[in-house]
Amino acid sequence: MTKLSMLESTNRLIDKALKYSDVSPDVAHRIKVPNATYSINFGVRLRNKIHTFTGWRCVHSEHMEPVKGGIRYDLDANLEEVEALAALMTYKNAIIEVPYGGSKGGLKIDPSQWTENELEKITRRFAQELIKRDMIDPARNVPAPDMGTGSREMAWIADEYRIMSPADINAKACVTGKPVGKGGIAGRVEATGRGVQFIIKEFFRNPDDLKKLKLKGTLKNKKIGIQGFGNVGYHAAKFLQEDDEAKITAIIEFNGGLINPKGINVEKAKLFFSEHGTFKNCPEGKFQEKTDDMLIAEYDILIPAAKENVIDQKNAKKIKSKLIVEAANGPISFEADEILNKQGVIIIPDIIANAGGVAVSYFEWVRNLRHIRFGRLEKRRNFTQLQSMIDAVESMTGKSMPKAYKDKFNNGVEEIDLIRSGLDDMMREAYQKVRAAMIESKIPDLRTAAYKAAIDKIAISYETIGL
Ligand code: NAD
């Protein structure tokens, strides 16, 4: 059985969507192929010798600039994968309406094999190579975290850009996902997982969609299986458990999984995994070393949040979950997608399901360019207005307003409240837009509808600027 690469899978999914679109073949081809991919080899002196590292940054589409997309650190990273991930960014950015083209970066490295100091050296050298080529720049190309990277790496990259471009007043906007004290924005670290939660909640607000899967009620006590307990998987699990009382019955990691039909305590499991690097002997559930069966076990919702192509033609037929929410990029191969659609599984595709990260990255980038935090100008004015309203109500009724109400008003709106509200709105809109495109164009599944809507939008942009 030959397995399609992620790039081949993505291209086939696009071709499928194009059947529902009026975009001409030449424009479609222009949209599909990446504009440029840089391969970079660079050396770093570590442990008394020069180590050569290989990395890539692909600019898939510049129909809008800057282009945007994460940088991943992974031993499996390769040029084709980076190109596929950059393509996903183009479609994702279009569908959630952030003003960016698509890009992605990768460095072939196992971060666990290097110390923090060594990783800093490697990251700074990689950043220098990218900055020199305008592959990191607030107006041209703005990376973010992805698999194997986080706010720490983004802080190193931002600092390297500042050193190399000291006169750029917008230097902080060269990368998003930075720590809060270094130009980052509250809510970015957990944004992708939070977005996964928001889009699932939106799905549950549509009784017709629930009916198709014979699901009822709210998320309370729904059984959820999560693959990948990193940034995205952990946060999605945590919010679904804490806010929505869903039951996380399985967590699958690369070196074994944890099962508990009564629901795993996500926070305790995270503490254990961070400390031991494995779920073996974790008291929160039953440890299982071989995880193939765990992915195909029965859940109301399966959330793959690790890496690409984990559901392929070999295991797709055995999947028993009704709803799959792609928190990871490309976790379902093209062939598996076809099989699952035939089985009646609903898939909320990656280009909307995990768009929360880029949505909040957008807020961070705008905040860096404005040089002022959101809500700063209005906060005091809103407070005074609310105070006048309380005074008016009290004087008209002759009663004093209960303290609990007053405290709520007096707390005002913090920046994090605005970020969450913006993210919630973008996730709801993305789901509704794709759902509407699916119904209107009689498209059988959400993924094809999402790609069609994104391609139509990008085509207008290309046609209006001329190719
Ligand atoms: P991460 O490195 O924080 O976490 C990934 C986790 O998956 C790790 O705990 C790792 O051990 C685990 N894992 C790796 N291979 C596995 C396997 N075969 N089976 C089970 N677990 C495995 O990465 P992340 O940032 O959480 O990203 C996860 C996915 O989400 C990636 O596909 C990434 O592209 C996508 N994504 C991330 C963001 C973001 O903001 N971080 C945004 C959009 C999409």
Side-chain angles (χ1 to χ4, degrees):
M1 233 188 278
T2 50
K3 199 170 169 174
L4 293 177
S5 70
M6 191 186 172
L7 185 61
E8 288 164 330
S9 261
T10 310
N11 283 338
R12 291 212 189 172
L13 293 167
I14 300 293
D15 290 340
K16 193 171 156 193
L18 282 167
K19 291 186 190 134
Y20 295 92
S21 168
D22 295 330
V23 172
S24 63
D26 51 334
V27 175
H29 182 257
R30 181 65 206 88
I31 293 173
K32 238 169 82 174
V33 295
N35 289 10
T37 308
Y38 287 82
S39 298
I40 299 156
N41 297 309
F42 60 93
V44 189
R45 185 182 291 281
L46 300 162
R47 303 178 192 178
N48 295 324
K49 68 179 238 196
I50 304 268
H51 294 261
T52 302
F53 294 91
T54 305
W56 301 268
R57 182 90 183 148
C58 170
V59 174
H60 177 262
S61 173
E62 286 157 298
H63 69 286
M64 283 202 178
E65 280 189 308
V67 294
K68 188 127 191 40
I71 293 182
R72 73 164 49 174
Y73 284 3
D74 184 25
L75 261 192
D76 291 336
N78 60 72
L79 183 140
E80 267 212 354
E81 181 190 90
V82 169
E83 289 190 341
L85 290 164
L88 288 187
M89 285 311 300
T90 297
Y91 306 119
K92 191 182 300 181
N93 293 339
I95 201 77
I96 65 153
E97 297 191 17
V98 288
Y100 299 132
S103 182
K104 198 83 181 189
L107 184 65
K108 199 173 181 58
I109 186 174
D110 176 357
S112 69
Q113 298 305 306
W114 301 94
T115 65
E116 185 166 3
N117 280 344
E118 289 168 338
L119 276 174
E120 179 173 352
K121 273 192 181 169
I122 298 163
T123 302
R124 284 184 183 270
R125 277 288 293 116
F126 188 30
Q128 285 165 13
E129 295 297 323
L130 294 173
I131 294 163
K132 274 193 313 210
R133 294 168 175 82
D134 292 336
M135 308 295 273
I136 297 177
D137 181 300
R140 309 285 303 279
N141 196 325
V142 183
D146 194 71
M147 221 171 113
T149 58
S151 54
R152 181 185 66 173
E153 285 73 15
M154 301 308 116
W156 293 331
I157 294 173
D159 192 52
E160 207 54 42
Y161 182 86
R162 183 190 59 81
I163 293 166
M164 291 174 75
S165 315
D168 187 345
I169 196 172
N170 293 320
K172 280 191 178 139
C174 75
V175 66
T176 57
K178 301 177 290 292
V180 172
K182 290 271 171 206
I185 201 163
R188 172 60 185 93
V189 174
E190 65 269 31
T192 309
R194 180 70 79 183
V196 169
Q197 176 204 21
F198 283 161
I199 211 154
I200 297 176
K201 281 166 90 94
E202 186 58 16
F203 178 88
F204 271 76
R205 285 189 197 102
N206 289 274
D208 291 350
D209 296 350
L210 288 179
K211 219 195 266 169
K212 280 189 210 157
L213 298 182
K214 299 198 178 79
L215 280 172
K216 274 191 199 137
T218 64
L219 273 161
K220 189 171 178 178
N221 290 329
K222 293 290 178 296
K223 285 185 287 172
I224 299 186
I226 302 234
Q227 184 198 38
F229 203 40
N231 178 318
V232 180
Y234 157 65
H235 283 112
K238 173 183 162 74
F239 300 139
L240 286 161
Q241 177 176 75
E242 287 177 0
D243 303 347
D244 304 304
E245 296 176 69
K247 269 190 192 163
I248 312 299
T249 57
I251 302 174
I252 309 166
E253 256 296 331
F254 73 101
N255 56 356
L258 195 62
I259 302 173
N260 186 346
K262 291 190 181 142
I264 297 164
N265 182 314
V266 173
E267 218 38 63
K268 287 186 180 164
K270 184 67 182 173
L271 273 176
F272 189 94
F273 193 78
S274 303
E275 198 179 325
H276 300 91
T278 170
F279 287 125
K280 199 168 180 178
N281 300 323
C282 176
E284 299 312 312
K286 194 175 126 243
F287 177 69
Q288 191 163 309
E289 195 161 353
K290 289 227 167 7
T291 56
D292 291 359
D293 285 352
M294 290 179 70
L295 201 61
I296 59 173
E298 195 171 342
Y299 310 106
D300 293 310
I301 309 170
L302 173 65
I303 307 181
K307 57 198 303 181
E308 58 285 341
N309 276 346
V310 290
I311 302 176
D312 57 16
Q313 71 248 61
K314 277 194 257 155
N315 58 4
K317 274 199 193 105
K318 298 182 202 153
I319 293 276
K320 292 177 218 54
S321 300
K322 300 167 180 172
L323 175 64
I324 302 182
V325 183
E326 292 186 322
N329 281 310
I332 300 176
S333 74
F334 175 76
E335 300 96 326
D337 192 63
E338 303 257 284
I339 296 168
L340 292 167
N341 285 331
K342 275 189 202 132
Q343 284 172 198
V345 175
I346 293 187
I347 300 165
I348 305 186
D350 46 11
I351 62 168
I352 52 172
N354 68 30
V358 74
V360 177
S361 273
Y362 170 50
F363 304 151
E364 179 179 333
W365 181 74
V366 171
R367 182 193 203 264
N368 291 154
L369 297 178
R370 290 169 23 140
H371 302 268
I372 186 167
R373 70 169 185 262
F374 292 111
R376 175 99 214 222
L377 296 181
E378 320 71 310
K379 188 173 172 184
R380 206 45 51 195
R381 183 181 173 276
N382 289 346
F383 176 78
T384 315
Q385 249 184 344
L386 286 170
Q387 193 55 52
S388 319
M389 206 179 73
I390 295 171
D391 293 346
V393 170
E394 287 184 341
S395 89
M396 283 188 309
T397 58
K399 288 181 183 165
S400 104
M401 187 178 276
K403 187 175 174 302
Y405 290 158
K406 274 190 190 169
D407 285 348
K408 249 189 184 172
F409 285 131
N410 289 346
N411 284 343
V413 177
E414 297 298 332
E415 189 173 48
I416 184 71
D417 302 318
L418 297 172
I419 300 301
R420 281 205 195 123
S421 139
L423 173 62
D424 192 9
D425 189 56
M426 282 168 99
M427 300 310 291
R428 286 181 196 226
E429 259 196 21
Y431 182 76
Q432 288 307 337
K433 202 191 307 165
V434 170
R435 188 175 182 275
M438 183 176 87
I439 294 167
E440 196 183 304
S441 303
K442 298 192 172 51
I443 300 174
D445 60 280
L446 287 167
R447 187 194 309 281
T448 312
Y451 276 122
K452 179 210 163 344
I455 291 165
D456 287 351
K457 190 151 186 262
I458 300 161
I460 293 171
S461 179
Y462 268 118
E463 276 160 3
T464 45
I465 55 174
L467 291 167

